[in-house]
Amino acid sequence: MKMVRSYWQVQRILLPASCVLLASVTVMADTEQDDDSAASAQAQHQLPVIQVQAGGYAGLDQGQQVYERDLLQVLPAGSGDISNVLKLHPNVQFDDTQSSGRTPGEIDPANISINGAVYWQNLFLLDGMSFTNDLDPVQGNPLSMTDLPGRSQGLALDLELVDQIEVLDSNISAQYGGFNGGVINVTSRKPADRLAGRISVQHSGSDWTRYHIAEADQLAMENSTSAVRQPEYSKWITRATLEGPVTDDLGLLFSFSRKESTIPLNLYNKGSYESPEGGFERDQQRRIDNFFLKAHWQATDDLILDASLTHAPQRNRYFIANGKDSGTDILSGGYTGNLKFDWNLSAGRLVQTLGFSDLENSRETETSYFRGWRWSPEKNWSSPGAVAATHLSSEGGWGNLDSEQRRFNYQADMLWNRWMTGVVEHQLRTGVELGWQRAFYGVQRSCVMVCSWLRPVAVLRRNGVL
């Protein structure tokens, strides 16, 4: 980030000089008829010597890259999560599905790999508190009977909350633990020193998008019943922020954002179903909310207290193709909070952090049963003329599932004052971390599966008795 600062400093020096240079060329061109006047004008408009110096990287360790807020604000918005920034890092790789043109309506943060490590082996921190998801981050099928889809980031943080993103990919301090890949350390914003507010709305959609689809995939894309192909979508992102000082020493910041995506699809396969109940089309929905509250208190000249609370729930709605009453909601996200004490002591700087997080990965369905019916006049939302594989009127979903992880954490970090032995400078850093974590998986409401696959083809009547 220091490179970016140096770049703009150079621009501020050179741009005015360029303007003067152009003016001097114009004056010289206008006075070429008189050699004495030209010489005089040249002397008058002689540019002074400009010395340009660029900053170094003395403050950055090898394996560390910091992205600060002035850069975050000028990057392309995208879905507005921290993954957009990580694309700048050469040692961060992304899942290929993140750049797929088939799924433009998704708003989930991307799974990332650092230096080739698998994506669920990274550590994600917000103000020192982990929001890494350990609830089966490998599973990806939202309509699985027994499993829940997960991802590496337990919270889908909005960039509006972020002041700085630090990426550690090698030579990582013993201060961090619980990972095999890398560390993504996010620092939230502090309240402004004056009263300020901001409201913004962002939109993108298929109406503004031009698709280039292979001819062989055209029909499957247009008649899609699955979220792996999204011919239409509409995204809206709304943000509101209010911040400012309460007293000379205390400031507050509140921020809210909502990301919504609507993905119209076909609930029933048009090649097999003629006139399904409720019509062919059904919308899938995605929604992420971010509520953020932070207090910053300069208690004394040597003591700063920061307290923050983040609530970032997410709800994704899916359906089982060719099924009635099959709506399925996947719930994720949750809460994080921390209290940070930053002391400047005579012996050095002591930072203590106390935090908690409560994250979930759960499923809610419209019904607590799944039924498969052969076509009949009563169960008539499939096609009576369909082949055996699709001659089915399915109903319901797989039932509710709950999984939750709860974490409490305490960390103390002491950076001792520097001292010299001859010409060699030394600095010692010590610390301690205590953590507690609990994970839970359970069936909130049992699912009853009823299937009627056989159709009677004849009835035997004997002596008036069936």
Side-chain angles (χ1 to χ4, degrees):
M1 197 56 214
K2 292 186 177 178
M3 180 183 295
V4 175
R5 286 181 176 172
S6 300
Y7 171 79
W8 286 109
Q9 289 170 1
V10 171
Q11 292 297 308
R12 287 196 293 267
I13 293 170
L14 292 183
L15 284 177
S18 301
C19 295
V20 175
L21 179 60
L22 291 174
S24 67
V25 172
T26 303
V27 171
M28 292 171 64
D30 291 339
T31 58
E32 284 180 351
Q33 297 178 0
D34 187 345
D35 294 339
D36 294 336
S37 298
S40 176
Q42 183 176 3
Q44 182 180 358
H45 296 283
Q46 183 71 37
L47 294 175
V49 176
I50 298 175
Q51 183 178 4
V52 179
Q53 293 181 343
Y57 290 92
L60 291 179
D61 297 326
Q62 184 178 1
Q64 177 194 37
Q65 180 65 55
V66 179
Y67 303 102
E68 297 182 2
R69 184 160 180 79
D70 53 355
L71 175 62
L72 306 185
Q73 290 180 309
V74 299
L75 288 175
S79 294
D81 57 66
I82 64 174
S83 301
N84 292 343
V85 182
L86 301 180
K87 293 178 181 179
L88 300 175
H89 200 289
N91 293 331
V92 176
Q93 297 82 40
F94 286 75
D95 186 350
D96 291 340
T97 58
Q98 295 298 318
S99 58
S100 173
R102 294 184 176 183
T103 56
E106 300 297 338
I107 57 176
D108 276 352
N111 289 319
I112 64 168
S113 169
I114 299 179
N115 284 331
V118 291
Y119 62 84
W120 62 84
Q121 291 184 344
N122 299 314
L123 176 64
F124 293 89
L125 300 171
L126 173 62
D127 293 333
M129 186 63 202
S130 172
F131 63 98
T132 306
N133 177 38
D134 296 322
L135 296 172
D136 198 3
V138 181
Q139 176 57 239
N141 181 10
L143 298 174
S144 169
M145 182 186 299
T146 57
D147 297 319
L148 294 166
R151 60 168 187 257
S152 56
Q153 300 179 46
L155 299 178
L157 293 177
D158 189 76
L159 270 181
E160 186 66 22
L161 313 179
V162 177
D163 182 64
Q164 175 183 284
I165 300 175
E166 179 186 26
V167 182
L168 303 173
D169 64 272
S170 61
N171 297 318
I172 301 176
S173 168
Q175 177 185 0
Y176 305 97
F179 69 96
N180 290 326
V183 178
I184 310 298
N185 187 14
V186 179
T187 303
S188 64
R189 291 177 50 203
K190 295 179 181 179
D193 56 4
R194 58 184 178 83
L195 183 62
R198 179 184 178 188
I199 297 176
S200 66
V201 177
Q202 176 183 329
H203 174 66
S204 63
S206 53
D207 292 341
W208 299 352
T209 304
R210 183 176 180 181
Y211 289 90
H212 299 272
I213 305 172
E215 186 174 349
D217 294 335
Q218 186 73 38
L219 189 60
M221 189 73 169
E222 292 177 355
N223 297 323
S224 175
T225 59
S226 170
V228 299
R229 292 185 177 89
Q230 301 173 4
E232 298 179 39
Y233 74 98
S234 177
K235 284 183 184 178
W236 289 91
I237 302 178
T238 306
R239 298 182 176 95
T241 302
L242 182 63
E243 58 186 319
V246 178
T247 66
D248 292 341
D249 302 321
L250 175 65
L252 293 177
L253 181 150
F254 174 75
S255 178
F256 166 76
S257 69
R258 169 168 290 179
K259 303 175 186 177
E260 293 182 289
S261 179
T262 302
I263 307 168
L265 295 171
N266 290 313
L267 176 58
Y268 297 93
N269 190 326
K270 292 185 177 181
S272 303
Y273 292 77
E274 294 180 349
S275 55
E277 184 177 302
F280 276 103
E281 296 183 354
R282 187 71 54 85
D283 290 344
Q284 290 196 6
Q285 304 283 344
R286 313 283 189 265
R287 190 180 77 187
I288 300 174
D289 290 336
N290 273 208
F291 300 87
F292 179 73
L293 178 64
K294 184 170 185 175
H296 177 78
W297 181 33
Q298 181 82 44
T300 68
D301 291 340
D302 296 320
L303 175 60
I304 299 175
L305 276 70
D306 285 307
S308 64
L309 178 64
T310 305
H311 179 41
Q314 178 171 351
R315 179 181 290 266
N316 291 354
R317 164 149 287 213
Y318 303 87
F319 56 74
I320 299 175
N322 304 321
K324 178 184 176 183
D325 299 332
S326 63
T328 300
D329 289 343
I330 302 298
L331 283 66
S332 57
Y335 293 88
T336 66
N338 74 56
L339 187 61
K340 180 180 178 181
F341 303 86
D342 191 338
W343 276 286
N344 283 319
L345 306 175
S346 59
R349 180 185 178 193
L350 174 63
V351 178
Q352 296 186 83
T353 305
L354 180 64
F356 80 93
S357 67
D358 190 353
L359 307 178
E360 73 166 326
N361 207 24
S362 303
R363 179 177 71 198
E364 293 180 355
T365 58
E366 289 185 54
T367 63
S368 59
Y369 58 83
F370 180 83
R371 297 168 179 165
W373 306 101
R374 297 291 296 189
W375 185 92
S376 69
E378 292 77 19
K379 311 298 181 182
N380 59 0
W381 56 89
S382 68
S383 171
V387 298
T390 59
H391 194 89
L392 169 68
S393 298
S394 67
E395 180 181 1
W398 301 122
N400 293 3
L401 290 177
D402 281 339
S403 64
E404 177 184 294
Q405 71 175 40
R406 186 169 295 170
R407 180 187 287 117
F408 291 92
N409 192 76
Y410 168 78
Q411 186 179 56
D413 178 42
M414 182 68 183
L415 187 62
W416 300 87
N417 291 333
R418 301 172 188 264
W419 75 93
M420 302 290 296
T421 55
V423 296
V424 180
E425 184 181 75
H426 307 272
Q427 187 171 35
L428 180 65
R429 187 168 201 163
T430 59
V432 62
E433 181 175 5
L434 303 174
W436 176 88
Q437 181 170 324
R438 172 183 177 270
F440 168 83
Y441 174 91
V443 179
Q444 183 181 18
R445 184 172 60 181
S446 299
C447 173
V448 179
M449 181 179 293
V450 180
C451 296
S452 176
W453 304 106
L454 301 178
R455 177 177 56 186
V457 294
V459 177
L460 178 63
R461 182 184 296 271
R462 180 176 296 176
N463 297 327
V465 179
L466 293 179

